[in-house]
PDB file of all heavy atoms in Angstrom:
ATOM      1  N   ALA A 318       7.361  -7.180   5.218  1.00  0.00           N
ATOM      2  CA  ALA A 318       6.857  -8.518   4.908  1.00  0.00           C
ATOM      3  C   ALA A 318       7.061  -9.388   6.143  1.00  0.00           C
ATOM      4  O   ALA A 318       7.758  -9.006   7.083  1.00  0.00           O
ATOM      5  CB  ALA A 318       7.579  -9.113   3.691  1.00  0.00           C
ATOM      6  N   ASP A 319       6.449 -10.560   6.156  1.00  0.00           N
ATOM      7  CA  ASP A 319       6.521 -11.416   7.337  1.00  0.00           C
ATOM      8  C   ASP A 319       7.949 -11.837   7.663  1.00  0.00           C
ATOM      9  O   ASP A 319       8.327 -11.954   8.834  1.00  0.00           O
ATOM     10  CB  ASP A 319       5.647 -12.661   7.142  1.00  0.00           C
ATOM     11  CG  ASP A 319       4.163 -12.325   7.138  1.00  0.00           C
ATOM     12  OD1 ASP A 319       3.810 -11.239   7.656  1.00  0.00           O
ATOM     13  OD2 ASP A 319       3.378 -13.113   6.597  1.00  0.00           O
ATOM     14  N   ASP A 320       8.757 -12.076   6.633  1.00  0.00           N
ATOM     15  CA  ASP A 320      10.096 -12.599   6.861  1.00  0.00           C
ATOM     16  C   ASP A 320      11.168 -11.805   6.134  1.00  0.00           C
ATOM     17  O   ASP A 320      12.206 -12.331   5.758  1.00  0.00           O
ATOM     18  CB  ASP A 320      10.169 -14.069   6.446  1.00  0.00           C
ATOM     19  CG  ASP A 320       9.669 -14.300   5.024  1.00  0.00           C
ATOM     20  OD1 ASP A 320       9.177 -13.334   4.412  1.00  0.00           O
ATOM     21  OD2 ASP A 320       9.773 -15.433   4.520  1.00  0.00           O
ATOM     22  N   GLY A 321      10.938 -10.529   5.922  1.00  0.00           N
ATOM     23  CA  GLY A 321      11.904  -9.692   5.237  1.00  0.00           C
ATOM     24  C   GLY A 321      11.257  -8.386   4.827  1.00  0.00           C
ATOM     25  O   GLY A 321      10.379  -7.872   5.518  1.00  0.00           O
ATOM     26  N   VAL A 322      11.676  -7.840   3.680  1.00  0.00           N
ATOM     27  CA  VAL A 322      11.050  -6.647   3.130  1.00  0.00           C
ATOM     28  C   VAL A 322      10.714  -6.913   1.669  1.00  0.00           C
ATOM     29  O   VAL A 322      11.463  -7.572   0.956  1.00  0.00           O
ATOM     30  CB  VAL A 322      11.961  -5.410   3.256  1.00  0.00           C
ATOM     31  CG1 VAL A 322      12.191  -5.056   4.721  1.00  0.00           C
ATOM     32  CG2 VAL A 322      13.293  -5.592   2.553  1.00  0.00           C
ATOM     33  N   ARG A 323       9.566  -6.416   1.252  1.00  0.00           N
ATOM     34  CA  ARG A 323       9.066  -6.680  -0.098  1.00  0.00           C
ATOM     35  C   ARG A 323       9.380  -5.494  -1.003  1.00  0.00           C
ATOM     36  O   ARG A 323       9.123  -4.336  -0.650  1.00  0.00           O
ATOM     37  CB  ARG A 323       7.565  -6.917  -0.073  1.00  0.00           C
ATOM     38  CG  ARG A 323       6.945  -7.186  -1.454  1.00  0.00           C
ATOM     39  CD  ARG A 323       5.455  -7.418  -1.376  1.00  0.00           C
ATOM     40  NE  ARG A 323       5.177  -8.698  -0.729  1.00  0.00           N
ATOM     41  CZ  ARG A 323       4.766  -8.826   0.537  1.00  0.00           C
ATOM     42  NH1 ARG A 323       4.624  -7.749   1.308  1.00  0.00           N
ATOM     43  NH2 ARG A 323       4.510 -10.010   1.050  1.00  0.00           N
ATOM     44  N   VAL A 324       9.919  -5.772  -2.192  1.00  0.00           N
ATOM     45  CA  VAL A 324      10.225  -4.720  -3.162  1.00  0.00           C
ATOM     46  C   VAL A 324       8.918  -4.237  -3.786  1.00  0.00           C
ATOM     47  O   VAL A 324       8.160  -5.019  -4.357  1.00  0.00           O
ATOM     48  CB  VAL A 324      11.174  -5.241  -4.253  1.00  0.00           C
ATOM     49  CG1 VAL A 324      11.415  -4.159  -5.308  1.00  0.00           C
ATOM     50  CG2 VAL A 324      12.501  -5.693  -3.646  1.00  0.00           C
ATOM     51  N   GLN A 325       8.679  -2.914  -3.663  1.00  0.00           N
ATOM     52  CA  GLN A 325       7.462  -2.317  -4.208  1.00  0.00           C
ATOM     53  C   GLN A 325       7.719  -1.487  -5.455  1.00  0.00           C
ATOM     54  O   GLN A 325       6.789  -1.193  -6.202  1.00  0.00           O
ATOM     55  CB  GLN A 325       6.804  -1.425  -3.141  1.00  0.00           C
ATOM     56  CG  GLN A 325       6.334  -2.166  -1.907  1.00  0.00           C
ATOM     57  CD  GLN A 325       4.993  -2.835  -2.132  1.00  0.00           C
ATOM     58  OE1 GLN A 325       4.645  -3.183  -3.253  1.00  0.00           O
ATOM     59  NE2 GLN A 325       4.237  -3.031  -1.063  1.00  0.00           N
ATOM     60  N   GLY A 326       8.963  -1.103  -5.662  1.00  0.00           N
ATOM     61  CA  GLY A 326       9.275  -0.302  -6.830  1.00  0.00           C
ATOM     62  C   GLY A 326      10.782  -0.251  -7.037  1.00  0.00           C
ATOM     63  O   GLY A 326      11.554  -0.401  -6.095  1.00  0.00           O
ATOM     64  N   ILE A 327      11.194  -0.041  -8.285  1.00  0.00           N
ATOM     65  CA  ILE A 327      12.603  -0.013  -8.656  1.00  0.00           C
ATOM     66  C   ILE A 327      12.895   1.309  -9.352  1.00  0.00           C
ATOM     67  O   ILE A 327      12.202   1.695 -10.291  1.00  0.00           O
ATOM     68  CB  ILE A 327      12.971  -1.171  -9.619  1.00  0.00           C
ATOM     69  CG1 ILE A 327      12.555  -2.525  -9.044  1.00  0.00           C
ATOM     70  CG2 ILE A 327      14.451  -1.127  -9.954  1.00  0.00           C
ATOM     71  CD1 ILE A 327      13.375  -2.970  -7.879  1.00  0.00           C
ATOM     72  N   GLY A 328      13.922   2.018  -8.868  1.00  0.00           N
ATOM     73  CA  GLY A 328      14.313   3.261  -9.512  1.00  0.00           C
ATOM     74  C   GLY A 328      14.995   3.011 -10.850  1.00  0.00           C
ATOM     75  O   GLY A 328      15.759   2.050 -11.001  1.00  0.00           O
ATOM     76  N   ARG A 329      14.699   3.872 -11.811  1.00  0.00           N
ATOM     77  CA  ARG A 329      15.293   3.728 -13.135  1.00  0.00           C
ATOM     78  C   ARG A 329      16.798   3.963 -13.066  1.00  0.00           C
ATOM     79  O   ARG A 329      17.266   4.889 -12.391  1.00  0.00           O
ATOM     80  CB  ARG A 329      14.649   4.720 -14.101  1.00  0.00           C
ATOM     81  CG  ARG A 329      15.113   4.594 -15.541  1.00  0.00           C
ATOM     82  CD  ARG A 329      14.313   5.519 -16.424  1.00  0.00           C
ATOM     83  NE  ARG A 329      12.891   5.184 -16.381  1.00  0.00           N
ATOM     84  CZ  ARG A 329      11.938   5.927 -16.996  1.00  0.00           C
ATOM     85  NH1 ARG A 329      12.274   7.016 -17.648  1.00  0.00           N
ATOM     86  NH2 ARG A 329      10.679   5.553 -16.914  1.00  0.00           N
ATOM     87  N   ASP A 330      17.562   3.118 -13.743  1.00  0.00           N
ATOM     88  CA  ASP A 330      19.025   3.214 -13.785  1.00  0.00           C
ATOM     89  C   ASP A 330      19.653   3.111 -12.400  1.00  0.00           C
ATOM     90  O   ASP A 330      20.754   3.620 -12.159  1.00  0.00           O
ATOM     91  CB  ASP A 330      19.473   4.526 -14.443  1.00  0.00           C
ATOM     92  CG  ASP A 330      19.001   4.641 -15.881  1.00  0.00           C
ATOM     93  OD1 ASP A 330      18.969   3.609 -16.574  1.00  0.00           O
ATOM     94  OD2 ASP A 330      18.664   5.765 -16.310  1.00  0.00           O
ATOM     95  N   SER A 331      18.986   2.453 -11.493  1.00  0.00           N
ATOM     96  CA  SER A 331      19.474   2.313 -10.129  1.00  0.00           C
ATOM     97  C   SER A 331      20.312   1.049  -9.980  1.00  0.00           C
ATOM     98  O   SER A 331      20.332   0.172 -10.855  1.00  0.00           O
ATOM     99  CB  SER A 331      18.302   2.252  -9.150  1.00  0.00           C
ATOM    100  OG  SER A 331      17.538   1.074  -9.379  1.00  0.00           O
ATOM    101  N   LEU A 332      20.998   0.952  -8.849  1.00  0.00           N
ATOM    102  CA  LEU A 332      21.745  -0.258  -8.536  1.00  0.00           C
ATOM    103  C   LEU A 332      20.805  -1.456  -8.449  1.00  0.00           C
ATOM    104  O   LEU A 332      21.138  -2.549  -8.914  1.00  0.00           O
ATOM    105  CB  LEU A 332      22.490  -0.059  -7.214  1.00  0.00           C
ATOM    106  CG  LEU A 332      23.346  -1.221  -6.707  1.00  0.00           C
ATOM    107  CD1 LEU A 332      24.403  -1.611  -7.732  1.00  0.00           C
ATOM    108  CD2 LEU A 332      24.009  -0.830  -5.388  1.00  0.00           C
ATOM    109  N   ALA A 333      19.625  -1.239  -7.888  1.00  0.00           N
ATOM    110  CA  ALA A 333      18.650  -2.328  -7.774  1.00  0.00           C
ATOM    111  C   ALA A 333      18.226  -2.843  -9.138  1.00  0.00           C
ATOM    112  O   ALA A 333      18.086  -4.052  -9.348  1.00  0.00           O
ATOM    113  CB  ALA A 333      17.434  -1.852  -6.986  1.00  0.00           C
ATOM    114  N   GLU A 334      18.037  -1.932 -10.103  1.00  0.00           N
ATOM    115  CA  GLU A 334      17.657  -2.347 -11.449  1.00  0.00           C
ATOM    116  C   GLU A 334      18.776  -3.151 -12.084  1.00  0.00           C
ATOM    117  O   GLU A 334      18.545  -4.188 -12.735  1.00  0.00           O
ATOM    118  CB  GLU A 334      17.329  -1.121 -12.296  1.00  0.00           C
ATOM    119  CG  GLU A 334      16.853  -1.462 -13.706  1.00  0.00           C
ATOM    120  CD  GLU A 334      16.577  -0.211 -14.530  1.00  0.00           C
ATOM    121  OE1 GLU A 334      17.539   0.558 -14.752  1.00  0.00           O
ATOM    122  OE2 GLU A 334      15.426  -0.012 -14.942  1.00  0.00           O
TER     123      GLU A 334
END
Side-chain angles (χ1 to χ4, degrees):
D319 291 340
D320 53 355
V322 295
R323 179 180 290 103
V324 176
Q325 297 279 27
I327 306 289
R329 184 174 299 174
D330 299 324
S331 65
L332 180 58
E334 183 182 62

